[in-house]
C-alpha cells in the first residue's frame, strides 16, 4: 500500500476547513480556557464597526489638510495623478493583505503573519516599525487638529492639543466596543462631510455658487496643469512636481491596513473582513480621487493659503474653496467637521499602536507587561504607554503646528510604505506556500485573481517611493536636514534592525512546504456564528452597505 502524498488535495483541504467546526471536539474545560489564538482580547467589534473602520476610520486630515502641500508642489493634474498612483498601490497592498488576514484573522494582524510565513526577525522588525509608525502618526493628527482650530483665530496650540488628546485617550481607555461605536459615529460624519464637499465642489465649479462664476478647468490653464518644481523648467520640473505628491498621498492612504489589526477583535472575521476588503475601492475612488479632483478644480496651485509652514496656515483647501466662492458661515461648519476627522484618526492611531504593541508582547518581541489586559479585554498598559507619545504634538507650540505636522507626516509616510512593502513580501511567501502545498486559493474566504502580480506591483512601487522619498534635498541649494532625516531614518533603520534580530533569533525564512496553514483554523471557525437573515428590505440595504 503506497504512502499517502505529503501534499493534500485542494478538495480535501477545503473540506477540512469547512468541517473543522463539526469534526473538532471541545470539552467544557477547554471552552473555559483563554483563547489560544486571541489571548485576552475579546471580539467586541461588530460588522458595522469593521465596515466603517475600513471605509473611513483612518481618513484623517491628510486628505483635508495635507493636500494643500500636494497641490502647491504638483499642480492640479500632478495632484490627481499622484493620488491615482498611490490609490493603485493601496489597492494592490489591500488585496494581498485581505487574502491572508481573512484566512487567518489573528491578533497582531500582518505582524503575526510575517512570523508565520517569513521568520521571527521579519515579524520583529515589521512589528516595531508598525508600532513606531502609529505612535508618530498620533501626534501628527493632534498637530493637525491644532491647525484646524487655529482657523478661528485663537492660536492657543497647547490648549487645543490637550483637549483633543483627552478625547482620544478617554475613547481608547473605554475598550474596543466603545472605540468601535465612536469610530462608527466619527466615520459617518466624515463620510457625510466628504460626500457633501464633493457634491458642493462640483456645484461651485459649474457656477452654482453665490458669485455664479463658472470655474470649470480655469486653474488647469492658469497657473497650469503642473507646477515647475523648484523652478526647474520643462518636463523634468513637471515630473518632479508629480513625484513630490506621492509621499504626501502616501500619508493620506496610510492606515488602510488597520482592518488587519482590528481582525483580532472583530466578530465573524472570516465573513466580515472580506466584505471590508472589497470596500477599499470605494474609499479610494470616491473619497480620495473625488476629493482631490474637486480641490484641483476649485483652488489654484499658487494660492497663498496653501502654505502649511507657518502657524497661520489653518484652513484646508476645501475651506479655501468655499470661502473664495463667497459662502458665509459654511467654512466654519466644514472646519468643525474636519476637526472630528482629526479626533477620529488620532483615536484610530492610538488604538492601532496599542494593539501592535500588545501583539509584539504576546509573541515575545516586547516586554510581557504590554500583554497585560483588563477583565474586559483592554490592553491598558499598552494604551497608556502609547498615549505618552502623543505629547510630541506639543513641539508645535514653539515650532508651529504646520511645520511639526510636516515632519511627522514624512516620518509616518515612509514607515507606512515600509509596512506595505513587508505586507506584499509576506503575501508572496504566503502565495508560495499555498502553491507548494497544493491548496486551491478558490477555497479561501477571499482571493484576488490578479495575484501574485498585484503583490509584486505593490512591493516594487513602495520600495521605489521609499528610496526616492527625500530626493528634493539633493537639488541645488535645497538641502534641509529635517527633511532628510524624517525621510531616510526609518528607511535606514529597518534593514539594520532586521539584520540584528536575524542574528539574534537565528531563524531562517520558513520553507514553503513547512508553512503552517492548519494551526488556529479550527478555533477561528469555532468562534464563527451564523448570521441571521434580514427581516425586511431596509435591513437588507443596511447589510449591503455595512
Amino acid at each position: 500500500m503506497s504512502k499517502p502524498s505529503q501534499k493534500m488535495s485542494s478538495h480535501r483541504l477545503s473540506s477540512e476547513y469547512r468541517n473543522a467546526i463539526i469534526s473538532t471536539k471541545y470539552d467544557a474545560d477547554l471552552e473555559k480556557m483563554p483563547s489560544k489564538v486571541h489571548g485576552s482580547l475579546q471580539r467586541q467589534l461588530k460588522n458595522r464597526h469593521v465596515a466603517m473602520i475600513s471605509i473611513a476610520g483612518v481618513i484623517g486630515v491628510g486628505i483635508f489638510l495635507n493636500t494643500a502641500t500636494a497641490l502647491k508642489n504638483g499642480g492640479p493634474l500632478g495632484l490627481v495623478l499622484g493620488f491615482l498612483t498611490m490609490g493603485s498601490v493601496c489597492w494592490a497592498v489591500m488585496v494581498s493583505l485581505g487574502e491572508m488576514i481573512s484566512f487567518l484573522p489573528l491578533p497582531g494582524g500582518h505582524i503575526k503573519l510575517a512570523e508565520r510565513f517569513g521568520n521571527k526577525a521579519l515579524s520583529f522588525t515589521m512589528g516595531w516599525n508598525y508600532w513606531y509608525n502609529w505612535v508618530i502618526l498620533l501626534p501628527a493628527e493632534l498637530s493637525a487638529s491644532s491647525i484646524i482650530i487655529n482657523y478661528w483665530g485663537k492660536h492657543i496650540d497647547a490648549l487645543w492639543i490637550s483637549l483633543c488628546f483627552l478625547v482620544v485617550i478617554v475613547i481608547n481607555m473605554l475598550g474596543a466596543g466603545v472605540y468601535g461605536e465612536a469610530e462608527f459615529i466619527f466615520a459617518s460624519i466624515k463620510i457625510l462631510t466628504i460626500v457633501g464637499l464633493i457634491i458642493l465642489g462640483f456645484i461651485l465649479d459649474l457656477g452654482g455658487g453665490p458669485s455664479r462664476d463658472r470655474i470649470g478647468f480655469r486653474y488647469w490653464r492658469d497657473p497650469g496643469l503642473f507646477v515647475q518644481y523648484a523652478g526647474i523648467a520643462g518636463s523634468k520640473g513637471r515630473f518632479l512636481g508629480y513625484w513630490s505628491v506621492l509621499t504626501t498621498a502616501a500619508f493620506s492612504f496610510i492606515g488602510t491596513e488597520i482592518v488587519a489589526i482590528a481582525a483580532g477583535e472583530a466578530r465573524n472575521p472570516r465573513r466580515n473582513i472580506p466584505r471590508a476588503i472589497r470596500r477599499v475601492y470605494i474609499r479610494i475612488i470616491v473619497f480620495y480621487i473625488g476629493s482631490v479632483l474637486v480641490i484641483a478644480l476649485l483652488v489654484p496651485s499658487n494660492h497663498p493659503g496653501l502654505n502649511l509652514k507657518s502657524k497661520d496656515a489653518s484652513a484646508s483647501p476645501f475651506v479655501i474653496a468655499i470661502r473664495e466662492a463667497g459662502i458665509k458661515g459654511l467654512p466654519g461648519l466644514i472646519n468643525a467637521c474636519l476637526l472630528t476627522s482629526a479626533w477620529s484618526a488620532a483615536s484610530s492611531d492610538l488604538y492601532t499602536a496599542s494593539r501592535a504593541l500588545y501583539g509584539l508582547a504576546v509573541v515575545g518581541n516586547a516586554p510581557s507587561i504590554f500583554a497585560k489586559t483588563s477583565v474586559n479585554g483592554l490592553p491598558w498598559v499598552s494604551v497608556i504607554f502609547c498615549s505618552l507619545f502623543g505629547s510630541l504634538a506639543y513641539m508645535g507650540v514653539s515650532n508651529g503646528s504646520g511645520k511639526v505636522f510636516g515632519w511627522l507626516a514624512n516620518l509616518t509616510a515612509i514607515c507606512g510604505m515600509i509596512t506595505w512593502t513587508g505586507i506584499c513580501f509576506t503575501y508572496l511567501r504566503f502565495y508560495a506556500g499555498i502553491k507548494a502545498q497544493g491548496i486551491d486559493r478558490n477555497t479561501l474566504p477571499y482571493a484576488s485573481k490578479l495575484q501574485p502580480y498585484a503583490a509584486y506591483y505593490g512591493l516594487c512601487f513602495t520600495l521605489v517611493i521609499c528610496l526616492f522619498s527625500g530626493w528634493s534635498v539633493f537639488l541645488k541649494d535645497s538641502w534641509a536636514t529635517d527633511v532628510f532625516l524624517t525621510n531616510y531614518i526609518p528607511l535606514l533603520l529597518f534593514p539594520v534592525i532586521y539584520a540584528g534580530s536575524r542574528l539574534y533569533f537565528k531563524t531562517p525564512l520558513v520553507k514553503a512546504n513547512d508553512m503552517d496553514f492548519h494551526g488556529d483554523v479550527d478555533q477561528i471557525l469555532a468562534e464563527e456564528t451564523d448570521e441571521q437573515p434580514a427581516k425586511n428590505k431596509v435591513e437588507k440595504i443596511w447589510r449591503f452597505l455595512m
Side-chain angles (χ1 to χ4, degrees):
M1 188 175 185
S2 62
K3 293 182 180 180
S5 171
Q6 292 182 350
K7 290 185 179 181
M8 299 182 66
S9 70
S10 61
H11 173 76
R12 179 183 172 189
L13 189 59
S14 169
S15 176
E16 179 180 324
Y17 287 156
R18 290 196 199 98
N19 298 318
I21 181 68
I22 300 173
S23 62
T24 305
K25 302 296 183 182
Y26 297 95
D27 56 37
D29 292 334
L30 181 60
E31 291 180 358
K32 294 177 182 178
M33 292 175 61
S35 166
K36 177 182 176 184
V37 181
H38 311 297
S40 297
L41 296 182
Q42 298 178 10
R43 295 193 180 276
Q44 300 178 15
L45 296 178
K46 301 176 183 178
N47 180 36
R48 60 187 176 88
H49 297 157
V50 176
M52 280 298 189
I53 289 170
S54 67
I55 295 176
V58 289
I59 293 179
V61 293
I63 188 64
F64 295 119
L65 191 61
N66 217 23
T67 43
T69 302
L71 178 60
K72 181 182 178 182
N73 291 335
L77 187 56
L79 172 68
V80 174
L81 291 179
F83 271 79
L84 277 173
T85 303
M86 283 310 307
S88 66
V89 175
C90 177
W91 176 84
V93 172
M94 287 305 296
V95 295
S96 302
L97 176 62
E99 188 167 323
M100 296 188 292
I101 206 65
S102 298
F103 178 65
L104 289 170
L106 305 174
H110 51 278
I111 301 171
K112 180 63 177 176
L113 295 177
E115 180 178 359
R116 195 154 183 161
F117 304 115
N119 59 17
K120 193 171 181 64
L122 180 62
S123 176
F124 179 90
T125 312
M126 282 185 61
W128 282 108
N129 173 78
Y130 196 62
W131 171 82
Y132 173 78
N133 174 35
W134 287 96
V135 295
I136 293 300
L137 192 54
L138 171 60
E141 297 289 359
L142 293 175
S143 294
S145 66
S146 177
I147 296 172
I148 293 173
I149 295 176
N150 282 342
Y151 169 81
W152 288 284
K154 303 293 184 180
H155 296 275
I156 316 174
D157 287 352
L159 176 61
W160 307 143
I161 291 170
S162 299
L163 290 174
C164 296
F165 201 4
L166 180 62
V167 172
V168 169
I169 292 174
V170 169
I171 289 173
N172 276 269
M173 287 302 293
L174 292 176
V178 174
Y179 163 76
E181 290 295 343
E183 280 308 295
F184 182 82
I185 295 171
F186 283 144
S188 299
I189 294 173
K190 279 189 280 189
I191 290 174
L192 292 175
T193 302
I194 293 174
V195 172
L197 286 173
I198 292 173
I199 294 173
L200 176 61
F202 284 118
I203 291 174
L204 293 177
D205 185 68
L206 295 173
S211 63
R212 303 299 179 189
D213 181 19
R214 186 186 178 98
I215 299 173
F217 289 87
R218 177 189 307 165
Y219 300 132
W220 293 45
R221 295 188 296 271
D222 182 23
L225 291 174
F226 293 93
V227 170
Q228 301 295 146
Y229 191 87
I232 300 173
S235 58
K236 181 189 294 185
R238 292 190 290 273
F239 175 78
L240 292 179
Y242 152 76
W243 192 263
S244 70
V245 175
L246 294 182
T247 302
T248 304
F251 174 78
S252 299
F253 281 103
I254 292 303
T256 313
E257 72 286 345
I258 190 178
V259 68
I261 296 295
E265 295 178 274
R267 297 177 185 173
N268 297 328
R270 282 190 144 212
R271 183 168 62 243
N272 293 332
I273 298 301
R275 291 177 179 174
I277 296 298
R278 293 186 183 100
R279 294 186 182 97
V280 169
Y281 75 92
I282 299 176
R283 176 179 175 179
I284 294 173
I285 296 175
V286 176
F287 298 152
Y288 287 103
I289 306 306
S291 296
V292 297
L293 179 59
V294 167
I295 290 171
L297 289 172
L298 296 180
V299 183
S301 58
N302 58 358
H303 194 285
L306 297 176
N307 178 24
L308 279 181
K309 292 186 178 180
S310 70
K311 269 192 168 186
D312 297 325
S314 53
S316 77
F318 285 109
V319 175
I320 293 173
I322 295 171
R323 189 173 58 228
E324 293 292 321
I327 303 177
K328 297 180 180 180
L330 187 57
L333 176 61
I334 296 301
N335 227 50
C337 293
L338 303 191
L339 184 58
T340 65
S341 294
W343 287 344
S344 169
S347 181
S348 293
D349 299 341
L350 182 53
Y351 170 83
T352 310
S354 62
R355 269 48 176 193
L357 185 57
Y358 169 84
L360 285 166
V362 167
V363 298
N365 289 337
S368 59
I369 190 174
F370 294 120
K372 184 176 292 188
T373 61
S374 64
V375 292
N376 65 345
L378 173 70
W380 61 274
V381 178
S382 292
V383 173
I384 293 174
F385 179 75
C386 292
S387 67
L388 297 177
F389 289 84
S391 60
L392 292 173
Y394 292 105
M395 291 190 301
V397 175
S398 58
N399 292 300
S401 291
K403 188 174 184 180
V404 172
F405 177 71
W407 292 343
L408 298 175
N410 285 342
L411 281 170
T412 54
I414 300 308
C415 287
M417 288 294 98
I418 294 172
T419 293
W420 285 9
T421 302
I423 289 172
C424 291
F425 177 78
T426 302
Y427 175 79
L428 292 172
R429 300 284 303 154
F430 171 88
Y431 184 88
I434 287 281
K435 187 176 181 180
Q437 297 185 29
I439 300 173
D440 184 1
R441 291 177 57 245
N442 292 324
T443 64
L444 302 180
Y446 174 82
S448 171
K449 295 182 180 180
L450 293 180
Q451 295 291 13
Y453 308 107
Y456 279 116
Y457 170 71
L459 176 70
C460 295
F461 215 104
T462 51
L463 275 176
V464 171
I465 293 174
C466 287
L467 290 172
F468 294 99
S469 59
W471 58 270
S472 61
V473 300
F474 299 108
L475 297 176
K476 186 178 179 180
D477 299 325
S478 297
W479 178 261
T481 303
D482 56 341
V483 174
F484 176 82
L485 292 177
T486 54
N487 278 279
Y488 287 114
I489 279 184
L491 185 60
L492 294 174
L493 283 177
F494 191 90
V496 172
I497 295 174
Y498 177 78
S501 57
R502 178 73 171 79
L503 291 173
Y504 178 80
F505 293 120
K506 297 182 175 62
T507 52
L509 288 173
V510 60
K511 295 180 180 179
N513 283 319
D514 296 332
M515 291 179 183
D516 180 12
F517 290 97
H518 302 274
D520 302 325
V521 172
D522 290 348
Q523 192 161 349
I524 291 170
L525 288 172
E527 293 181 351
E528 292 281 311
T529 58
D530 293 332
E531 187 176 82
Q532 297 297 323
K535 298 178 181 179
N536 49 55
K537 291 184 178 180
V538 175
E539 193 168 330
K540 285 183 179 180
I541 295 174
W542 175 258
R543 289 189 179 182
F544 174 76
L545 294 174
M546 292 293 107

